[in-house]
Amino acid sequence: MTPITRIKETLAELVRIDSVSSHSNAEIIEYLERRCAASNLVTQRFPYLDERGIEKFNLIALSNPATEVELALVGHTDTVPYDPNWSDATNLTERDGKLYGRGACDTKGFIAAALTAVEMIELSHLTKPLALVFTADEEIGLRGAKKLAEAKPLRVRYSIVGEPTSLKPIRAGKGYSLAEVIVKGREAHSAYPALGASAVFRAARLINRLEAIAIQLKEDRHPAFDPPYTTLNIGLIHGGSAKNVLAGECSFTLEWRPIPTQPSEHVLNLFKAAIQEETQSDPDFVCEVDASRADSGFETAPDSPLIRLLEKATGNNSGTVAFGTEAAQTMALGAESVVIGPGDIREAHRTGEFVPVHELERCAEILKEAVEQLCKL
Ligand SMILES: [Zn+2]
């Protein structure tokens, strides 16, 4: 069987297993265990219960039992949900050199390439340990990878994290932070505004300050990124109960994507200072901030052997992305990290997501080369 036939067959099997983040990933983990065992990798499951009490698993497969590995290939097992009208979502379909199916691009294509690459390598010839790491719940906040980063079951020197990058090595990514903000007011009849305090007016003043913070953030630049600074967004806002009532409450979401050279709490500190100023001019001002996420970004030096190797193998210069990946968690395991994979991120998370066949094939060759170069020395 040619490598590409094997990759396609593997991808079809992976896509057939529905592994949407909302349910357990046990079935795809069992599949991966079988495949890894057939390649003589030693597997270990890392179970946990998600916030709804559903059992999820991370899986680590090692070329030989070790707690320090030279290279980890990391792929997430979960996918985003799919439209029930997409009848072939779990039935991999090939058209015009593209393979369509939920997860084909994000990130089962990478996993199929990694499994096939490992099968092409004589593992007994490796002199340094290799790990395959399969995670859960990436699509709902990198939760599986965060569990591994906390538990630290491994030390990792280099990690290749699979995400669709059209095979461009990504050496840095912005972080991701989120806060829910609730501004309080006092309800009153709108004909008598002096009897209450509008939470919407208060929130509006605070949001004006956030817009000023967004402008201030442009001064701290990281030229490798587009845009080259931390951005922030207020994506949702809700307030009030009726048109003729002063709003008793107004809530909004504040999201920011910090450049990796800036601590993720920097924006939060600026925001808290803004709240402080509001409180000084309006002693009645009450605001609750629930900072629920602070995922750090990552950056690997452009001259890292891992980046150099992948630039050479792909013929593509390394770059950066403005979205979150599991690379930051693999850095917590000690790794210099890179994100790379077949398919285009703009095709991910859509009905009709696909991965180009030639990129899948190239990805397996590139991973094989990376393993042989990094683990054989
Ligand atoms: Zn992904």
Side-chain angles (χ1 to χ4, degrees):
M1 194 186 288
T2 60
I4 189 58
T5 310
R6 183 69 171 152
I7 301 171
K8 282 187 195 173
E9 184 188 87
T10 303
L11 183 55
E13 288 167 356
L14 289 168
V15 166
R16 198 167 298 131
I17 303 169
D18 180 336
S19 60
V20 172
S21 320
S22 56
H23 49 255
S24 176
N25 66 339
E27 189 182 351
I28 191 166
I29 289 292
E30 274 163 35
Y31 173 88
L32 294 167
E33 270 173 343
R34 271 200 311 280
R35 283 293 293 266
C36 290
S39 293
N40 290 322
L41 296 165
V42 181
T43 62
Q44 190 182 354
R45 287 183 179 207
F46 294 84
Y48 65 92
L49 295 180
D50 74 7
E51 58 191 9
R52 292 188 300 137
I54 298 170
E55 192 167 38
K56 303 281 177 70
F57 302 91
N58 293 313
L59 181 73
I60 296 181
L62 297 167
S63 60
N64 45 336
T67 52
E68 286 191 25
V69 300
E70 188 69 8
L71 175 64
L73 307 181
V74 183
H76 64 83
T77 59
D78 62 320
T79 70
V80 293
Y82 50 87
D83 184 335
N85 294 322
W86 183 12
S87 56
D88 278 333
T90 58
N91 178 30
L92 191 73
T93 319
E94 183 167 0
R95 272 197 317 278
D96 305 326
K98 297 168 183 166
L99 294 160
Y100 293 82
R102 171 54 82 229
C105 172
D106 186 8
T107 269
K108 292 178 175 177
F110 174 87
I111 293 177
L115 289 172
T116 308
V118 166
E119 287 173 355
M120 295 191 287
I121 296 164
E122 186 48 68
L123 291 179
S124 62
H125 291 176
L126 299 183
T127 56
K128 294 179 181 176
L130 165 73
L132 299 190
V133 178
F134 302 107
T135 60
D137 290 341
E138 189 270 351
E139 297 289 1
I140 51 173
L142 315 168
R143 290 183 191 158
K146 286 177 183 171
K147 295 274 179 199
L148 285 179
E150 278 169 33
K152 295 192 175 35
L154 277 183
R155 288 282 302 170
V156 178
R157 174 108 185 258
Y158 299 112
S159 79
I160 298 179
V161 177
E163 280 293 323
T165 70
S166 305
L167 297 181
K168 185 181 177 70
I170 298 299
R171 66 167 191 86
K174 287 185 178 177
Y176 185 83
S177 295
L178 188 66
E180 303 287 336
V181 184
I182 302 174
V183 179
K184 303 282 188 181
R186 274 197 325 281
E187 287 196 336
H189 194 297
S190 62
Y192 305 100
L195 298 180
S198 165
V200 167
F201 279 147
R202 284 177 169 169
R205 290 201 299 270
L206 199 53
I207 289 169
N208 269 335
R209 289 186 186 272
L210 281 166
E211 203 172 1
I213 289 172
I215 293 165
Q216 185 186 337
L217 287 170
K218 292 184 180 182
E219 285 163 21
D220 185 3
R221 298 177 87 83
H222 189 313
F225 284 97
D226 175 24
Y229 43 80
T230 299
T231 58
L232 64 77
N233 181 45
I234 296 164
L236 295 167
I237 183 164
H238 298 283
S241 57
K243 65 182 186 300
N244 53 359
V245 177
L246 267 67
E249 194 171 288
C250 182
S251 61
F252 60 88
T253 58
L254 172 62
E255 175 203 62
W256 64 102
R257 295 168 189 268
I259 51 177
T261 39
Q262 188 178 73
S264 69
E265 63 273 17
H266 178 64
V267 170
L268 199 58
N269 290 339
L270 293 175
F271 182 45
K272 284 181 176 165
I275 293 170
Q276 196 64 39
E277 284 173 26
E278 277 304 314
T279 313
Q280 272 158 15
S281 60
D282 175 2
D284 204 23
F285 186 90
V286 178
C287 169
E288 293 165 7
V289 180
D290 175 15
S292 55
R293 268 180 81 171
D295 302 348
S296 35
F298 85 101
E299 183 162 19
T300 298
D303 61 353
S304 157
L306 178 68
I307 304 299
R308 290 241 168 105
L309 187 162
L310 289 173
E311 284 184 331
K312 189 154 172 270
T314 61
N316 294 326
N317 289 330
S318 62
T320 65
V321 287
F323 52 84
T325 67
E326 294 170 313
Q329 283 72 44
T330 66
M331 283 190 91
L333 301 177
E336 291 183 19
S337 298
V338 66
V339 181
I340 190 168
D344 189 327
I345 190 73
R346 289 167 296 191
E347 300 299 335
H349 298 200
R350 288 172 43 172
T351 292
E353 100 174 65
F354 68 85
V355 64
V357 174
H358 73 276
E359 285 187 23
L360 264 186
E361 191 174 17
R362 278 293 296 136
C363 184
E365 289 163 3
I366 291 160
L367 293 177
K368 177 173 184 280
E369 195 179 328
V371 171
E372 289 179 341
Q373 286 201 32
L374 293 170
C375 296
K376 229 176 197 174
L377 301 170

PDB file of all heavy atoms in Angstrom, residues 76 106-107 138-139 162-164 349, ligand 1:
ATOM      1  N   HIS A  76      -5.115  17.134  18.404  1.00  0.00           N
ATOM      2  CA  HIS A  76      -6.328  17.035  19.236  1.00  0.00           C
ATOM      3  C   HIS A  76      -7.345  16.118  18.571  1.00  0.00           C
ATOM      4  O   HIS A  76      -7.486  16.113  17.349  1.00  0.00           O
ATOM      5  CB  HIS A  76      -6.907  18.407  19.572  1.00  0.00           C
ATOM      6  CG  HIS A  76      -7.399  19.229  18.428  1.00  0.00           C
ATOM      7  ND1 HIS A  76      -8.651  19.080  17.883  1.00  0.00           N
ATOM      8  CD2 HIS A  76      -6.816  20.235  17.731  1.00  0.00           C
ATOM      9  CE1 HIS A  76      -8.820  19.962  16.922  1.00  0.00           C
ATOM     10  NE2 HIS A  76      -7.717  20.668  16.790  1.00  0.00           N
ATOM     11  N   ASP A 106      -9.184  19.957  10.404  1.00  0.00           N
ATOM     12  CA  ASP A 106      -8.893  20.349  11.800  1.00  0.00           C
ATOM     13  C   ASP A 106      -9.376  19.264  12.744  1.00  0.00           C
ATOM     14  O   ASP A 106     -10.520  19.248  13.114  1.00  0.00           O
ATOM     15  CB  ASP A 106      -9.591  21.683  12.085  1.00  0.00           C
ATOM     16  CG  ASP A 106      -9.255  22.246  13.440  1.00  0.00           C
ATOM     17  OD1 ASP A 106      -8.377  21.700  14.117  1.00  0.00           O
ATOM     18  OD2 ASP A 106      -9.886  23.246  13.828  1.00  0.00           O
ATOM     19  N   THR A 107      -8.496  18.322  13.178  1.00  0.00           N
ATOM     20  CA  THR A 107      -7.087  18.193  12.861  1.00  0.00           C
ATOM     21  C   THR A 107      -6.771  16.746  12.561  1.00  0.00           C
ATOM     22  O   THR A 107      -5.686  16.263  12.765  1.00  0.00           O
ATOM     23  CB  THR A 107      -6.278  18.790  14.035  1.00  0.00           C
ATOM     24  OG1 THR A 107      -6.064  20.156  13.762  1.00  0.00           O
ATOM     25  CG2 THR A 107      -4.976  18.175  14.403  1.00  0.00           C
ATOM     26  N   GLU A 138      -9.781  20.347  22.742  1.00  0.00           N
ATOM     27  CA  GLU A 138      -9.040  21.510  22.252  1.00  0.00           C
ATOM     28  C   GLU A 138      -9.996  22.605  21.811  1.00  0.00           C
ATOM     29  O   GLU A 138      -9.772  23.784  22.047  1.00  0.00           O
ATOM     30  CB  GLU A 138      -8.137  21.105  21.066  1.00  0.00           C
ATOM     31  CG  GLU A 138      -7.153  22.186  20.622  1.00  0.00           C
ATOM     32  CD  GLU A 138      -7.685  23.126  19.558  1.00  0.00           C
ATOM     33  OE1 GLU A 138      -8.773  22.874  18.995  1.00  0.00           O
ATOM     34  OE2 GLU A 138      -7.024  24.134  19.291  1.00  0.00           O
ATOM     35  N   GLU A 139     -11.091  22.167  21.161  1.00  0.00           N
ATOM     36  CA  GLU A 139     -12.006  23.142  20.541  1.00  0.00           C
ATOM     37  C   GLU A 139     -12.839  23.916  21.570  1.00  0.00           C
ATOM     38  O   GLU A 139     -13.508  24.872  21.216  1.00  0.00           O
ATOM     39  CB  GLU A 139     -12.949  22.432  19.554  1.00  0.00           C
ATOM     40  CG  GLU A 139     -12.234  21.777  18.370  1.00  0.00           C
ATOM     41  CD  GLU A 139     -11.678  22.779  17.378  1.00  0.00           C
ATOM     42  OE1 GLU A 139     -11.813  23.986  17.594  1.00  0.00           O
ATOM     43  OE2 GLU A 139     -11.095  22.332  16.373  1.00  0.00           O
ATOM     44  N   GLY A 162      -0.176  19.860  15.628  1.00  0.00           N
ATOM     45  CA  GLY A 162      -0.923  19.815  14.372  1.00  0.00           C
ATOM     46  C   GLY A 162      -2.103  20.756  14.371  1.00  0.00           C
ATOM     47  O   GLY A 162      -2.977  20.675  15.229  1.00  0.00           O
ATOM     48  N   GLU A 163      -2.112  21.676  13.446  1.00  0.00           N
ATOM     49  CA  GLU A 163      -3.259  22.545  13.161  1.00  0.00           C
ATOM     50  C   GLU A 163      -3.128  22.913  11.697  1.00  0.00           C
ATOM     51  O   GLU A 163      -2.008  22.948  11.170  1.00  0.00           O
ATOM     52  CB  GLU A 163      -3.204  23.839  13.995  1.00  0.00           C
ATOM     53  CG  GLU A 163      -3.667  23.713  15.432  1.00  0.00           C
ATOM     54  CD  GLU A 163      -5.156  23.407  15.562  1.00  0.00           C
ATOM     55  OE1 GLU A 163      -5.958  23.934  14.756  1.00  0.00           O
ATOM     56  OE2 GLU A 163      -5.508  22.635  16.452  1.00  0.00           O
ATOM     57  N   PRO A 164      -4.237  23.183  11.033  1.00  0.00           N
ATOM     58  CA  PRO A 164      -4.122  23.525   9.607  1.00  0.00           C
ATOM     59  C   PRO A 164      -3.397  24.852   9.388  1.00  0.00           C
ATOM     60  O   PRO A 164      -3.880  25.905   9.805  1.00  0.00           O
ATOM     61  CB  PRO A 164      -5.580  23.617   9.134  1.00  0.00           C
ATOM     62  CG  PRO A 164      -6.426  23.607  10.341  1.00  0.00           C
ATOM     63  CD  PRO A 164      -5.626  23.098  11.493  1.00  0.00           C
ATOM     64  N   HIS A 349     -13.791  24.397  10.645  1.00  0.00           N
ATOM     65  CA  HIS A 349     -15.009  24.823  11.353  1.00  0.00           C
ATOM     66  C   HIS A 349     -16.137  25.195  10.400  1.00  0.00           C
ATOM     67  O   HIS A 349     -17.076  25.868  10.790  1.00  0.00           O
ATOM     68  CB  HIS A 349     -14.733  26.018  12.297  1.00  0.00           C
ATOM     69  CG  HIS A 349     -13.743  25.716  13.381  1.00  0.00           C
ATOM     70  ND1 HIS A 349     -13.640  26.444  14.528  1.00  0.00           N
ATOM     71  CD2 HIS A 349     -12.806  24.728  13.493  1.00  0.00           C
ATOM     72  CE1 HIS A 349     -12.675  25.933  15.298  1.00  0.00           C
ATOM     73  NE2 HIS A 349     -12.163  24.901  14.672  1.00  0.00           N
TER      74      HIS A 349
HETATM   75 ZN    ZN B   1      -7.668  22.419  15.661  1.00  0.00          ZN
END
